[in-house]
């Protein structure tokens, strides 16, 4: 029956974790192998204080060790009757926390005691569960570097958190160096930071999901791009094959045309030569007859045949011709060469357009975030100057062509095709495209329009084709008193906002965005145009009243 009620751990030495050998019982009641407890106390012999490895009770002087005969007999009987197997434990490997109480080869620690500042395996930790003296000890899962939990100065547990200095301290540090600081228990501070940690984890998980979604979208985009590229390659091959076939057809037609013209000309020349040869033969025959007549001695025969043989030869039906001795198809070669040059020039232009079009294809594009405050807007500030060639003659430029004022007096500007002749407007020299730009304007006096336009805006006349915002080539914000009006293609949007003497203009050309802001301590969005810009934009201004002025602010 004993073998069913007892287990080996009840009669094992808590130092060597094996069955007791020459068991001895020390004054506190715990039993050990005589050799194990003797070895432990030999190591502390120099202190004169001897303690129990389990309950830590100390003894002075060193107790005399005597073999516990009864316990030895029980152990011997247990060996003969059989024992329950000991709990499975693993020996500590490199990187594991080892038990501080195992002798010889140490088992892996499963718990650490913050009170004892020691690590325990499954066997050696049991007194902390069963013994009343250990009830107030705080056990945690085994961790390394347990000494880091101690205050370096007082060797006390770091169980208090100083919020003032954001550091862990012990109770003595709190009462001394951190006496007037905001301190709480480490557990309470952990609870608060645990919530913050949870929020951070939630945010990280959300970002992970967002990035996973982006990856999935990129994968789909890549697959779509591959399919599209495959289709376009096949279609391009088809088109180029047809183009090559067309050029080959033209090549064949030119060769055939040259051959046909050659044959016709040769046939015509050969026919002419045949007729000429016939005429030569006839003339030679008559010449022979005349020679024979001239050599005859028969006067009667000579006179009788003279009339018929000496008659002038007929001119025949062959017209007179001029023979071209420098015959060639140079004109054809020139035409073919010009055709080749035309095709090459066309292909070069097509190549540039093709490369631009192909390069515009991308799986994704990076877009910098829109500025949120004036400091961020100023990163995109640009230098603008007013163009004297565009200014109306009732507008006066000053401050190095950065300020324009409307006057009653006519200014003596020379004629120029880009000058506004009847509309009191002026444009800047700089054309803006392909980037982000920001500039600020100060207005004074009466109303003024601030805007941007394509270079093709009309300069002559006084209708909507000239005014900023009144056509499809320009966008503007009209500022008058405490009111604003946004205009494009003569569509108007009334804006209610506090009066601002300084207006900020932000252009994101590639994003097709033009924004107007009231500039003060904060940036107040007045209006935003969203479109697609196709040409460089030129900032411009229209002044509605005499003595009103617009100044381009110096931002650098």
């Amino acid at each position: 029956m004993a073998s069913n009620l007892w287990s080996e751990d009840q009669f094992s030495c808590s130092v060597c974790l094996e069955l007791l050998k020459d068991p001895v019982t020390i004054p506190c009641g715990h039993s050990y192998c005589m050799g194990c407890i003797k070895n432990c106390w030999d190591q502390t012999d120099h202190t004169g204080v001897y303690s129990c490895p389990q309950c830590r009770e100390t003894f002075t002087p060193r107790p005399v060790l005597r073999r516990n005969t009864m316990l030895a007999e029980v152990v011997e009987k247990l060996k003969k009757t059989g024992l329950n197997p000991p709990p499975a434990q693993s020996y500590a490997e490199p990187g594991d926390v080892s038990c501080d109480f195992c002798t010889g080869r140490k088992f892996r620690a499963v718990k650490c005691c913050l009170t004892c500042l020691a690590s325990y395996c499954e066997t050696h930790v049991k007194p902390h569960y069963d013994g009343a003296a250990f009830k107030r000890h705080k056990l945690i899962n085994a961790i390394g570097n347990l000494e880091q939990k101690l205050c370096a100065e007082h060797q006390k547990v770091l169980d208090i958190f100083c919020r003032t200095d954001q550091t862990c301290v012990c109770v003595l540090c709190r009462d001394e160096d951190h006496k007037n600081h905001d301190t709480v228990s480490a557990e309470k501070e952990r609870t608060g930071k645990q919530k913050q940690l949870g929020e951070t984890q939630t945010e990280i998980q959300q970002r992970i999901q967002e990035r996973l979604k982006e990856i999935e979208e990129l994968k789909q985009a890549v697959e779509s791009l591959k399919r599209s590229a495959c289709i376009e390659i096949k279609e391009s091959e088809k088109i180029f094959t047809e183009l090559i076939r067309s050029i080959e057809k033209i090549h064949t037609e030119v060769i055939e045309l040259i051959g046909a013209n050659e044959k016709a000309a040769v046939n015509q020349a050969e026919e002419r030569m045949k007729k000429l040869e016939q005429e030569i033969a006839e003339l030679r025959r008559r010449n022979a007859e005349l020679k024979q007549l001239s050599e005859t001695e028969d006067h009667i025969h000579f006179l009788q045949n003279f009339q018929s043989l000496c008659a002038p030869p007929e001119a025949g039906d062959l017209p007179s011709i001029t023979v071209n001795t420098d015959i060639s198809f140079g004109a054809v070669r020139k035409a073919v060469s010009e055709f080749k040059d035309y095709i090459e020039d066309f292909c070069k232009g097509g190549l540039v357009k093709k490369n631009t079009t192909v390069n515009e294809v991308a799986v994704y594009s990076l877009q910098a975030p829109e500025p949120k405050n004036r400091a961020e807007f100023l990163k995109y500030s640009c230098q603008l100057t007013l163009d004297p060639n565009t200014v109306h003659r009732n507008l006066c430029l000053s401050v190095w062509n950065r300020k324009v004022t409307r006057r009653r007096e006519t200014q003596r500007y020379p004629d120029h095709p880009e000058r506004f002749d009847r509309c009191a407007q002026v444009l800047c020299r700089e054309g803006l495209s392909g980037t982000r730009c920001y500039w600020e304007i100060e207005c004074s006096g009466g109303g003024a329009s601030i805007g941007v336009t394509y270079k093709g805006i009309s300069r002559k006349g006084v209708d909507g084709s000239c005014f900023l915002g009144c056509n499809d080539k320009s966008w503007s914000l009209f500022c008058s008193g405490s009111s604003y009006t946004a205009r494009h293609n003569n569509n108007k949007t009334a804006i209610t906002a506090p009066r601002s003497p300084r207006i900020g203009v932000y252009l994101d050309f590639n994003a097709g965005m033009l924004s107007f802001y009231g500039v003060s301590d904060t940036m107040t969005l007045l209006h935003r145009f969203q479109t697609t810009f196709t040409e460089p934009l030129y900032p411009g201004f229209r002044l509605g009243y005499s003595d009103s002025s617009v100044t381009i602010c110096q931002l650098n």
Side-chain angles (χ1 to χ4, degrees), residues 38-163:
K38 182 177 182 298
N39 183 54
C40 287
W41 284 354
D42 286 347
Q43 294 179 15
T44 60
D45 210 6
H46 64 285
T47 65
V49 178
Y50 308 92
S51 63
C52 172
Q54 294 189 57
C55 66
R56 300 293 183 178
E57 183 177 347
T58 58
F59 314 104
T60 304
R62 178 173 177 165
V64 178
L65 298 176
R66 292 186 176 85
R67 188 170 185 269
N68 188 327
T69 306
M70 184 180 69
L71 188 56
E73 293 176 355
V74 171
V75 170
E76 289 300 321
K77 289 182 180 180
L78 286 175
K79 289 181 179 179
K80 295 177 181 180
T81 57
L83 298 168
N84 292 327
Q89 294 196 87
S90 301
Y91 287 109
E93 300 291 341
D96 292 336
V97 179
S98 59
C99 176
D100 291 330
F101 289 88
C102 291
T103 58
R105 187 175 181 184
K106 295 180 178 292
F107 285 112
R108 180 187 297 127
V110 294
K111 295 290 181 180
C112 288
C113 177
L114 295 180
T115 306
C116 301
L117 292 176
S119 302
Y120 300 92
C121 63
E122 290 183 354
T123 300
H124 287 128
V125 77
K126 287 184 177 179
H128 276 74
Y129 295 136
D130 303 331
F134 299 104
K135 292 299 182 183
R136 294 184 180 180
H137 288 207
K138 186 171 182 179
L139 291 176
I140 62 173
N141 289 332
I143 58 173
N145 301 323
L146 194 60
E147 63 275 6
Q148 292 183 359
K149 305 297 183 293
L150 288 177
C151 173
E153 182 178 355
H154 303 105
Q155 296 300 305
K156 295 288 184 181
V157 177
L158 299 171
D159 56 357
I160 297 172
F161 185 78
C162 176
R163 289 175 172 173

Side-chain angles (χ1 to χ4, degrees), residues 143-206:
I143 58 173
N145 301 323
L146 194 60
E147 63 275 6
Q148 292 183 359
K149 305 297 183 293
L150 288 177
C151 173
E153 182 178 355
H154 303 105
Q155 296 300 305
K156 295 288 184 181
V157 177
L158 299 171
D159 56 357
I160 297 172
F161 185 78
C162 176
R163 289 175 172 173
T164 305
D165 294 335
Q166 291 292 301
T167 186
C168 294
V169 298
C170 70
V171 63
L172 295 180
C173 291
R174 179 195 63 186
D175 296 338
E176 295 175 3
D177 298 335
H178 302 264
K179 184 175 183 179
N180 297 320
H181 291 185
D182 181 9
T183 57
V184 295
S185 68
E187 183 177 359
K188 182 177 181 180
E189 184 67 16
R190 163 70 184 272
T191 302
K193 292 193 179 299
Q194 187 73 31
K195 180 180 179 182
Q196 182 180 350
L197 179 65
E199 293 173 352
T200 303
Q201 286 180 305
T202 301
E203 182 179 351
I204 290 174
Q205 289 296 330
Q206 182 179 354

Side-chain angles (χ1 to χ4, degrees), residues 286 289-291 293-294 302 305-313:
R286 287 191 64 186
E289 290 178 351
L290 289 174
K291 180 180 181 182
L293 182 63
S294 68
F302 178 86
N305 291 284
F306 175 80
Q307 189 66 31
S308 61
L309 292 176
C310 287

